[in-house]
Amino acid sequence: QVQLVESGGGLVQAGDSLRLSCAASGRTFSSYPMGWFRQAPGKEREFVAAITGSGSMSYYADFAKGRFTTSRDNAKNTVFLQMNSLKSEDTAVYYCAADPEGDWREWADYGSWGQGTQVTVAS
């Protein structure tokens, strides 16, 4: 239903910041709740954050609260994940996903997802 492309990842030092972007194509982008997930090598994919279609509400995993902020610009069909005070534990491939049918914390409940962008945090 929607195609997603993540960008903005890279190699940073602990304490630095990054802003990830997720560019979407789709007629009804503004109606889609959006989620962010991440996956480290050898580990299961985990929920990071989610935002409603209007951008009025957002939700975060415990490790992300106070450090990460998700927002969206529906006019540009783009969702953002601002990551501050990065830690080595944040190293992972970060994915965006669109249109959950059930639990916005569950990867399998989303209808579309991107291919990910690598974030590496050096200690």
Side-chain angles (χ1 to χ4, degrees), residues 92-103:
V93 176
Y94 284 72
Y95 302 87
C96 62
D99 194 22
E101 293 187 352
D103 191 345

Side-chain angles (χ1 to χ4, degrees), residues 77-93:
N77 291 341
T78 303
V79 177
F80 304 97
L81 181 67
Q82 177 68 42
M83 304 186 294
N84 299 326
S85 301
L86 284 164
K87 307 172 182 179
S88 60
E89 306 95 276
D90 297 319
T91 296
V93 176

Side-chain angles (χ1 to χ4, degrees), residues 20-98:
L20 306 184
S21 298
C22 175
S25 61
R27 181 177 177 84
T28 58
F29 173 77
S30 63
S31 69
Y32 288 142
M34 298 287 293
W36 288 96
F37 294 79
R38 70 184 188 183
Q39 187 170 25
K43 298 181 65 178
E44 191 170 305
R45 186 177 291 111
E46 63 180 344
F47 170 76
V48 178
I51 188 168
T52 59
S54 67
S56 62
M57 292 181 287
S58 57
Y59 312 90
Y60 300 92
D62 286 342
F63 67 79
K65 287 184 176 180
R67 297 192 299 128
F68 295 3
T69 303
T70 186
S71 60
R72 65 193 299 160
D73 184 346
N74 286 341
K76 296 184 176 181
N77 291 341
T78 303
V79 177
F80 304 97
L81 181 67
Q82 177 68 42
M83 304 186 294
N84 299 326
S85 301
L86 284 164
K87 307 172 182 179
S88 60
E89 306 95 276
D90 297 319
T91 296
V93 176
Y94 284 72
Y95 302 87
C96 62

